[in-house]
Amino acid sequence: SQKIEQNSEALNIQEGKTATLTCNYTNYSPAYLQWYRQDPGRGPVFLLLIRENEKEKRKERLKVTFDTTLKQSLFHITASQPADSATYLCALDRAFGNEKLTFGTGTRLTIIP
Amino acid sequence: EAQVTQNPRYLITVTGKKLTVTCSQNMNHEYMSWYRQDPGLGLRQIYYSMNVEVTDKGDVPEGYKVSRKEKRNFPLILESPSPNQTSLYFCASSLQGNGYTFGSGTRLTVV
């Protein structure tokens, strides 16, 4: 069956360091992979999308990599700040479109001052 | 402001009493989707729509109905709510190949 796993439920990182979150998947052939941020009680907020033919994408302090051979995406936040504390979700499309987007259960990131 | 608007934000209802959660987007997005979020289970897709009059089941469609008569609106209907439908619901919309914009959520309690 298709499965998405995010490396850990919770991750604590010292302020200023780089936080790295992992998303692994099995039995998918996604056209693209997305990362979202979710704060408690609020809707997810889209951060980055990376396509299957792209190795890396950057946006300000965020970087995403996508390895379709390893079936893995890494999400990096450099120079982390307490305001980066949130749950981060990866999501994969199950078809070549955007209708069947499946989410991982998320990693709760805490940046410690 | 570009947004997805859900109403109501909070709802407590009794078993069996039909209810509708509305969702509207002002971005002319073709894709719309409903998710429910439960502790430990994450976001699970209920229904999605690729355009007007085109809808299909997601992973957990039982007990729900949707309609897409206009591009901007995608209401979620619970014909006979049960306690296991107590959850946090999110509506979302997007263009193909882009990230989703989510609404603020509807916290539903069925007693």
Side-chain angles (χ1 to χ4, degrees):
Chain A
S1 64
Q2 297 168 324
K3 204 172 176 186
I4 302 172
E5 284 183 340
Q6 295 192 239
N7 59 329
S8 52
E9 240 182 80
L11 186 64
N12 296 331
I13 298 291
Q14 205 70 36
E15 181 177 3
K17 301 288 186 190
T18 297
T20 299
L21 284 63
T22 305
C23 178
N24 294 298
Y25 59 93
T26 56
N27 296 329
Y28 279 91
S29 294
Y32 42 76
L33 185 148
Q34 304 180 26
W35 283 90
Y36 290 77
R37 169 188 173 134
Q38 187 175 24
D39 292 289
R42 304 181 75 104
V45 174
F46 171 70
L47 297 174
L48 280 167
L49 180 151
I50 186 165
R51 301 180 195 284
E52 60 178 340
N53 59 351
E54 297 175 316
K55 292 278 189 258
E56 182 180 299
K57 205 92 174 265
R58 290 177 187 260
K59 179 182 172 185
E60 297 169 356
R61 293 184 296 111
L62 308 180
K63 184 177 88 170
V64 172
T65 62
F66 192 14
D67 188 326
T68 54
T69 303
L70 289 178
K71 294 186 181 293
Q72 181 181 79
S73 174
L74 299 178
F75 176 79
H76 306 273
I77 305 174
T78 58
S80 58
Q81 305 165 1
D84 295 326
S85 298
T87 296
Y88 291 86
L89 307 168
C90 72
L92 299 173
D93 69 300
R94 304 204 302 273
F96 191 76
N98 212 17
E99 64 274 19
K100 291 190 175 187
L101 203 62
T102 299
F103 284 81
T105 51
T107 295
R108 189 171 66 252
L109 176 66
T110 303
I111 305 301
I112 302 164
Chain B
E1 182 191 349
Q3 60 186 357
V4 175
T5 304
Q6 287 178 235
N7 279 299
R9 288 293 312 275
Y10 302 91
L11 180 59
I12 301 175
T13 190
V14 294
T15 299
K17 186 177 181 184
K18 180 179 177 179
L19 66 91
T20 299
V21 184
T22 63
C23 174
S24 181
Q25 51 94 3
N26 61 0
M27 297 165 282
N28 202 35
H29 286 169
E30 61 252 14
Y31 289 91
M32 295 188 76
S33 193
W34 275 103
Y35 287 85
R36 61 177 288 174
Q37 188 170 37
D38 302 288
L41 296 176
L43 282 160
R44 293 180 293 167
Q45 191 179 48
I46 303 170
Y47 268 95
Y48 63 89
S49 170
M50 295 168 65
N51 216 322
V52 176
E53 303 292 2
V54 181
T55 64
D56 208 345
K57 297 176 181 178
D59 295 313
V60 288
E62 295 77 22
Y64 305 95
K65 280 175 58 176
V66 292
S67 68
R68 188 97 181 269
K69 293 186 172 58
E70 308 162 280
K71 199 170 188 179
R72 63 183 293 124
N73 295 323
F74 191 43
L76 179 70
I77 303 155
L78 284 72
E79 294 269 3
S80 182
S82 62
N84 65 11
Q85 292 178 298
T86 292
S87 187
L88 179 58
Y89 290 86
F90 290 104
C91 179
S93 73
S94 80
L95 293 170
Q96 185 176 0
N98 288 272
Y100 268 89
T101 301
F102 279 78
S104 299
T106 296
R107 191 168 291 281
L108 172 66
T109 303
V110 184
V111 298

